Amino acid sequence: MVQFFQYAFLWRSLAAAVIIGSLCSFLGVFVVLKGLSFSGAGIAHGAFAGVALAFLLGVEPFLMGLLFSLIMVWLIGLSSKKGNLNLDASTGIFFAVTMALAILFIGMMRQYNTELFGFLFGNILAVTEKDLLFMTLIGFVVTLALIIGYRAFYYWAFDETMAEASGIQVEKVFFLFLSLLALSIVASLKVVGELLVTAFMVIPASSAYQLTYSLKNMIIISVILGAIGSVIGLVVSFIWDIPSGASIVLVLGLEFLLCTLFSPKKRHKGVGGGDVGGR
Amino acid sequence: MEAKTLLEVKNVTAGYPGHVALKDVNFSVAFREAVAVVGPNGGGKSTLLKVIMGLLEPKEGTVLFCNESLMKNREMRTKIAYLPQQSAINPHFPALIEDIVRLGLYGELGLLKSVTKEHEQRIIEALEKVDMASMIGEPFEHLSGGQKQRVLIARALISNPVLLLLDEPTTGLDLKSQESILQTVKDLSEKEKLTVIAVTHDQVFLKNWAERVIRIEQRLTFDGSSSEYFQRSED
Ligand SMILES: Nc1ncnc2c1ncn2[C@@H]1O[C@H](COP(=O)(O)OP(=O)(O)OP(=O)(O)O)[C@@H](O)[C@H]1O
Ligand SMILES: [Mg+2]
C-alpha cells in the first residue's frame, strides 16, 4: 500500500479513475433512464474500430476513435430517426459492422499489439500525461454541456412529446446526447476498455436509482459511487495485480448489490394505491 | 351575439410521409367551449391536436389561434397547454411531484433563467387546480394512474394557458381515477374558465362534461352539441 503512492504513474491512474468514473456515471443516469445502453455499446465498438485502424496506419488513436464513434452516432441516429428502423435494430447493424471492421484491421496487422489490447480491456496503469490531458478536456466539455443543458435533458428524458410541445427540439437533444456519449466513451477506453465501458455507465446510475426519488440526487449519488468505485477498483487491481477494468466493474457491481439491499424503494408499498387526493 | 372565436381550423389537410391522416377539416372553437373529439382508432384525432399545437405543419389549410398562425408566431404556443396520449412515460421516473410541474415552466425559463419564489408559488397554485397540492413533495412513482395524470395536467396549466388540449386523459385508468379526472376537467372548464378540447372515448366524460362533440374519421363527420350527438348515435 505504501508503495502505491510512490509512483507518478499511479497518481495519474488515480486522477484518470476519478475523472472517468465521475463522467461516465453522470452520463449514465440519462443512459439508464432513456434505455440507451445498447447504443452506448455500439458507439464503443465504433470507437474501437477507429482505434484499431489508427494503430494499423500509425496515427493518433484517440482522434481516429473520436472520428469513428461520431460517425457511428450519426449513422445510428439517422437510420433510427429518418429511416424506419428502431434504435435497437439500427444500433445492432452498426454494432456488428464495426466489430467486423475492428477484426479486419487487427487481422491486417503484422504483430500482436499490447497497447491496442489495452483499449479493448482497459489498462489504466498505462495512462500517460497526454491521455490525462485529453480526458480532462473531454470531461470538462461534456460536464459543462450537461449542466447547461440540464433542463432540456431532464425534460427529454421524462417525455419527448411533452418536451417537444414545450419548445425543446428533441431530435437535436438526442443527437447532442449521443455525441457527448461518444466523446466520453473514447476518453474512457484506456481506463476501462471498450468491452466494459457500458457497464461503467449503467451500474453506478442503477445503484443510485435504488436510493433516491429525485433526478438531481440520482446524478450526485451516481457520480460519487462511480468515482469511489473506480478508485477502490484501481487500488485493488494494483494490489492483486488484476486488470483494472475488470476490478473496477466488480467493485461497482458490489456497490449495486449493497444499494439494492438497502434500497428504501423495495420496502415501499405505495401510498398511491387509492386515489388519495380525489373528491 | 356570436361568442368570440379562439381557434379556427380552416380546410386543414395533414399527415405523415405517405399517409394522409386529416382531410379538409373545418371547424372553429369559441372561448370557454368544452369540446370533445371522438372517432375511430387511427381516425386522426391525435394528429388534429398536434396540428392545433403547431407541432405538425398542415399540408394544406391553416390553423389560427387568436387570429395568428402558430407556425409563424411560436411565442403564442405557450398559451396552449397539451397533454399527450398515454405516452411512454417511465412510471418510475425519479422525480418529485413539484419537479414534474416545474418542467412546465421550460417555455418561460428556457435553460438558464432561475426559478423564483413566484414560480414556486405558481407550482402550488397549479397543483391546487387539480387538487394535488397536499402531495407536492411526494415521489411521482408513488401516485396512482389518475393522480399521475392530474400532476401532468398541472404541469400543462402552469404556463397559464388559454386553451387546454387533452388526448385521451382517462384511457387506461380505473373507474375511480376516471371520475377524479372528470371532476378536474369540469373544474377547469367551469371555475378556471379554460377552453378545453379533449379527445375521448369515455361516454361518462362525454355526457357529463362535453358541450360540443366533433367526430373525426380523416374527415370531419360530425360537429354539433353533445345532445345532438347522443340522439344521433341512438337512432
Ligand atoms: N408519426 C407518425 N408517422 C406515420 N404515421 C402516423 C404517425 N402518427 C400517426 N400516424 C398515422 O396517422 C393516422 C392517424 O393517427 P392518429 O394518431 O392521429 O389517430 P387517432 O385518431 O389518434 O387514433 P387512436 O384512437 O388510436 O389514438 C393513423 O393511420 C396512424 O397510423
Ligand atoms: Mg390518438
Side-chain angles (χ1 to χ4, degrees):
Chain A
M1 194 68 213
V2 182
Q3 326 158 1
F4 187 88
F5 297 102
Q6 287 170 354
Y7 305 107
F9 77 90
L10 280 173
W11 281 107
R12 275 203 303 274
S13 313
L14 214 55
V18 172
I19 292 170
I20 297 304
S22 340
L23 180 64
C24 285
S25 42
F26 191 167
L27 275 165
V29 169
F30 293 101
V31 170
V32 166
L33 291 176
K34 290 298 285 181
L36 290 173
S37 60
F38 187 50
S39 301
I43 292 168
H45 270 353
F48 183 69
V51 170
L53 181 62
F55 275 94
L56 188 65
L57 301 177
V59 297
E60 172 57 47
F62 276 130
L63 288 183
M64 206 56 131
L66 266 184
L67 184 70
F68 264 65
S69 64
L70 287 173
I71 290 175
M72 190 76 176
V73 165
W74 287 90
L75 288 175
I76 293 176
L78 283 178
S79 56
S80 84
K81 294 283 164 183
K82 308 282 181 213
N84 282 322
L85 272 181
N86 69 32
L87 189 61
D88 212 40
S90 64
T91 305
I93 293 167
F94 297 109
F95 182 95
V97 169
T98 48
M99 203 59 210
L101 275 180
I103 293 168
L104 178 74
F105 296 147
I106 292 171
M108 286 161 76
M109 283 173 208
R110 297 262 160 73
Q111 67 225 25
Y112 178 87
N113 190 320
T114 344
E115 207 190 336
L116 175 59
F117 281 84
F119 283 87
L120 193 57
F121 298 112
N123 185 2
I124 196 172
L125 298 178
V127 167
T128 64
E129 213 132 278
K130 199 188 74 194
D131 297 339
L132 194 60
L133 194 70
F134 179 75
M135 289 173 196
T136 312
L137 190 70
I138 286 192
F140 181 75
V141 169
V142 172
T143 307
L144 196 68
L146 286 176
I147 290 174
I148 292 176
Y150 180 71
R151 282 183 190 156
F153 287 120
Y154 190 147
Y155 215 161
W156 166 74
F158 179 65
D159 185 79
E160 293 191 13
T161 320
M162 287 185 213
E164 193 179 14
S166 292
I168 291 171
Q169 292 173 296
V170 287
E171 211 156 290
K172 282 192 187 155
V173 172
F174 172 74
F175 276 102
L176 176 62
F177 184 77
L178 285 189
S179 306
L180 297 176
L181 194 59
L183 288 179
S184 312
I185 286 171
V186 174
S188 312
L189 287 184
K190 246 192 169 167
V191 175
V192 274
E194 187 256 312
L195 292 175
L196 292 177
V197 66
T198 323
F200 216 57
M201 299 196 160
V202 172
I203 302 175
S206 307
S207 310
Y209 181 75
Q210 307 298 322
L211 300 181
T212 176
Y213 292 109
S214 124
L215 185 62
K216 206 172 256 169
N217 292 343
M218 182 173 163
I219 289 171
I220 294 169
I221 297 173
S222 176
V223 167
I224 292 173
L225 289 175
I228 292 180
S230 308
V231 171
I232 297 178
L234 171 63
V235 174
V236 168
S237 94
F238 181 74
I239 294 174
W240 287 337
D241 195 23
I242 49 178
S244 57
S247 68
I248 293 175
V249 168
L250 289 175
V251 173
L252 294 177
L254 202 65
E255 283 180 350
F256 178 73
L257 195 68
L258 289 174
C259 290
T260 312
L261 284 176
F262 292 105
S263 167
K265 294 191 180 182
K266 208 178 35 159
R267 272 170 266 138
H268 186 87
K269 284 286 179 281
V271 294
D275 216 8
V276 181
R279 274 162 283 202
Chain B
M1 196 189 82
E2 267 290 290
K4 218 176 141 210
T5 305
L6 176 66
L7 178 79
E8 275 178 278
V9 175
K10 287 188 186 169
N11 310 315
V12 163
T13 296
Y16 308 92
H19 185 87
V20 180
L22 293 173
K23 203 159 191 177
D24 203 22
V25 172
N26 272 294
F27 67 94
S28 61
V29 174
F31 271 96
R32 298 201 50 191
E33 258 191 299
V35 185
V37 178
V38 299
N41 290 122
K45 306 178 295 295
S46 299
T47 307
L48 178 65
L49 294 196
K50 281 184 206 155
V51 169
I52 296 175
M53 230 356 253
L55 289 177
L56 185 71
E57 186 161 15
K59 287 201 186 71
E60 283 164 41
T62 45
V63 175
L64 295 179
F65 175 73
C66 298
N67 288 318
E68 297 234 29
S69 159
L70 285 173
M71 296 313 297
K72 292 189 191 111
N73 189 344
R74 285 172 185 259
E75 305 275 283
M76 292 283 276
R77 279 193 199 174
T78 57
K79 293 283 131 207
I80 305 182
Y82 170 51
L83 181 68
Q85 195 162 0
Q86 259 313 317
S87 43
I89 295 181
N90 171 0
H92 302 293
F93 192 86
L96 303 180
I97 291 175
E98 54 182 305
D99 301 332
I100 303 291
V101 181
R102 200 175 288 115
L103 288 174
L105 289 167
Y106 185 87
E108 215 170 297
L109 297 174
L111 289 177
L112 298 174
K113 274 188 216 137
S114 54
V115 179
T116 63
K117 279 239 170 66
E118 185 249 282
H119 292 118
E120 297 293 344
Q121 187 55 38
R122 272 166 58 198
I123 293 177
I124 298 171
E125 285 163 12
L127 282 168
E128 276 166 356
K129 288 179 191 167
V130 297
D131 201 23
M132 287 293 293
S134 60
M135 298 182 76
I136 185 164
E138 285 286 329
F140 186 64
E141 71 172 84
H142 287 182
L143 305 183
S144 69
Q147 292 174 326
K148 284 196 173 105
Q149 200 69 324
R150 273 150 54 203
V151 168
L152 293 175
I153 293 176
R155 173 206 56 95
L157 293 176
I158 198 168
S159 52
N160 293 322
V162 181
L163 173 63
L164 178 62
L165 306 175
L166 302 171
D167 200 344
E168 305 200 15
T170 57
T171 301
L173 300 180
D174 60 34
L175 266 178
K176 211 171 163 195
S177 300
Q178 287 181 9
E179 266 166 38
S180 79
I181 300 281
L182 173 64
Q183 190 55 48
T184 301
V185 175
K186 272 179 97 163
D187 283 356
L188 293 174
S189 289
E190 287 158 19
K191 291 192 202 146
E192 304 294 332
K193 310 186 191 328
L194 269 173
T195 312
V196 183
I197 302 178
V199 174
T200 184
H201 295 291
D202 185 337
Q203 295 294 311
V204 185
F205 213 85
L206 282 175
K207 284 212 164 94
N208 289 292
W209 162 78
E211 299 165 357
R212 181 173 158 202
V213 176
I214 285 176
R215 190 170 189 284
I216 299 281
E217 193 171 355
Q218 198 180 54
R219 291 171 182 276
L220 191 139
T221 56
F222 177 87
D223 180 358
S225 71
S226 55
S227 48
E228 277 176 78
Y229 176 77
F230 280 108
Q231 254 171 18
R232 230 195 241 194
S233 47
E234 273 155 26
D235 292 344

